[in-house]
Amino acid sequence: MRFDHVRIRLEPLSVSNCLDMAVLFYRQYFKPIAQLLALFALPCCVAVYVMSYFYEYDLRLPALLFFVLSSPMGILLISGTAAASFGEPFSWGRVLKQKPGRLMSLFLRGLLLRAAVGSVILMFFLEDWDLAIRVLLGFVLCLFPGVWLAIRSGFLVERTVLADLSNHLHETRGSKLIHKQFGDLLIGGGMIVGYCALLWLVFFMVFDLAINFLFHVPIFFPRLGPDGEMGFLLWGDPKVLCLITFCAFLVYPLGRLAWFFTYIDLRVRRDCWDMELELAQEADRLEATS
């Protein structure tokens, strides 16, 4: 990666700016992102449909699959995004060939983190406990350790990949800076999650109505009636679960890209990363000419 070939704005960004840049990046590199979606989303949707249709699995299955598979998907996405942002082509072949050991380490650490958070949150589904206790416990556990771990480790991929540009800045000082800005990151992350949730709802409605209009296959809204089928359809209908899963994977890259640009903003706004890299680049130039 080359800082002198940077393709993104190294300047302070608001949450809306991060989302705007994520949308622009998503559009510009839609082809490789679509390939990533085909790798993760399509097999997951098939698995959800088959398991819910033949074995009557409910909404917890797509939630579990998305929770687990979004980790390696996000790692690959940010590895390609970081390279494309700093002068290299967005190529999956290049991403997989460049430091495969580091990539496997990120996969393992990401899955272990998801397992640690997921094993605690699974207590929310204990059927032997009273519903009010389960709801309260689930809410508390989602805040700690769920949200706390998500924020503290949320930039693991960014710091690891961008350490090629400035190892001291991203590896040594990263944890301290994230700790100091935990409140701002929590607010920004919540806004990104809220935006993606609304976008997921919009995509769900659009695809549902479009499929019914074009192919005459009712999925959710055309099947609603006065007898209250909404809960049943959302909880266990195979077609609805499949569409829920697809829309979640479709929206996830946008939120993950916005979180990547949030890290860039954190480095620039709070640590003057753009100035440090420019000084380092100028020092290398002067050393080469002397």
Side-chain angles (χ1 to χ4, degrees):
M1 289 182 287
R2 294 284 304 277
F3 173 67
D4 53 335
H5 293 163
V6 64
R7 297 174 182 172
I8 57 176
R9 294 180 295 170
L10 292 181
E11 59 185 34
L13 302 171
S14 63
V15 177
S16 60
N17 294 144
C18 293
L19 289 169
D20 288 341
M21 292 187 66
V23 172
L24 292 175
F25 199 93
Y26 202 140
R27 184 186 65 182
Q28 182 177 0
Y29 296 100
F30 180 75
K31 182 178 179 179
I33 294 177
Q35 294 171 347
L36 191 65
L37 288 172
L39 178 63
F40 286 92
L42 295 184
C44 189
C45 289
V46 172
V48 167
Y49 186 86
V50 171
M51 297 299 289
S52 60
Y53 185 83
F54 291 102
Y55 302 100
E56 299 184 354
Y57 279 81
D58 53 38
L59 183 61
R60 288 173 289 188
L61 174 64
L64 176 62
L65 291 177
F66 177 77
F67 182 75
V68 174
L69 294 180
S70 59
S71 176
M73 180 179 177
I75 291 171
L76 289 173
L77 176 64
I78 297 306
S79 297
T81 300
S85 300
F86 290 89
E88 296 182 2
F90 201 136
S91 169
W92 294 122
R94 182 183 294 270
V95 170
L96 295 175
K97 291 179 182 178
Q98 189 174 13
K99 298 185 178 180
R102 180 180 66 183
L103 199 60
M104 295 303 299
S105 175
L106 286 174
F107 284 155
L108 180 60
R109 294 167 69 179
L111 292 176
L112 288 176
L113 178 64
R114 296 295 174 96
V117 176
S119 62
V120 177
I121 297 180
L122 280 177
M123 296 177 65
F124 173 71
F125 296 101
L126 292 176
E127 297 182 356
D128 296 335
W129 293 12
D130 184 76
L131 178 61
I133 296 178
R134 285 188 286 151
V135 172
L136 178 62
L137 179 63
F139 178 75
V140 172
L141 292 177
C142 283
L143 293 178
F144 185 88
V147 173
W148 184 83
L149 282 176
I151 297 297
R152 292 301 303 271
S153 60
F155 294 130
L156 172 65
V157 183
E158 287 84 351
R159 291 165 56 191
T160 303
V161 174
L162 294 178
D164 293 340
L165 291 176
S166 179
N167 182 73
H168 170 74
L169 182 64
H170 296 283
E171 292 294 332
T172 307
R173 298 168 60 182
S175 297
K176 184 181 295 185
L177 187 60
I178 293 172
H179 178 75
K180 290 181 178 179
Q181 303 300 321
F182 182 83
D184 293 338
L185 293 174
L186 181 62
I187 295 174
M191 295 175 66
I192 292 174
V193 171
Y195 177 85
C196 290
L198 291 175
L199 191 61
W200 170 87
L201 179 60
V202 171
F203 281 167
F204 181 81
M205 295 173 61
V206 170
F207 279 110
D208 180 34
L209 298 176
I211 291 173
N212 180 65
F213 178 77
L214 296 175
F215 304 105
H216 304 289
V217 178
I219 295 181
F220 181 67
F221 288 103
R223 298 166 63 188
L224 292 179
D227 298 330
E229 297 94 342
M230 178 181 293
F232 172 77
L233 292 175
L234 288 175
W235 186 252
D237 185 81
K239 291 186 289 186
V240 175
L241 294 182
C242 186
L243 184 59
I244 287 174
T245 305
F246 177 76
C247 292
F249 276 101
L250 187 64
V251 172
Y252 175 74
L254 182 64
R256 193 63 185 85
L257 289 170
W259 190 241
F260 169 78
F261 293 122
T262 300
Y263 179 73
I264 299 297
D265 168 69
L266 178 68
R267 297 255 65 111
V268 172
R269 187 188 300 271
R270 303 298 181 184
D271 221 9
C272 300
W273 182 40
D274 52 338
M275 296 179 61
E276 180 169 337
L277 290 178
E278 287 180 358
L279 290 173
Q281 179 186 359
E282 184 65 17
D284 292 340
R285 187 187 67 82
L286 293 175
E287 183 180 356
T289 57
S290 61

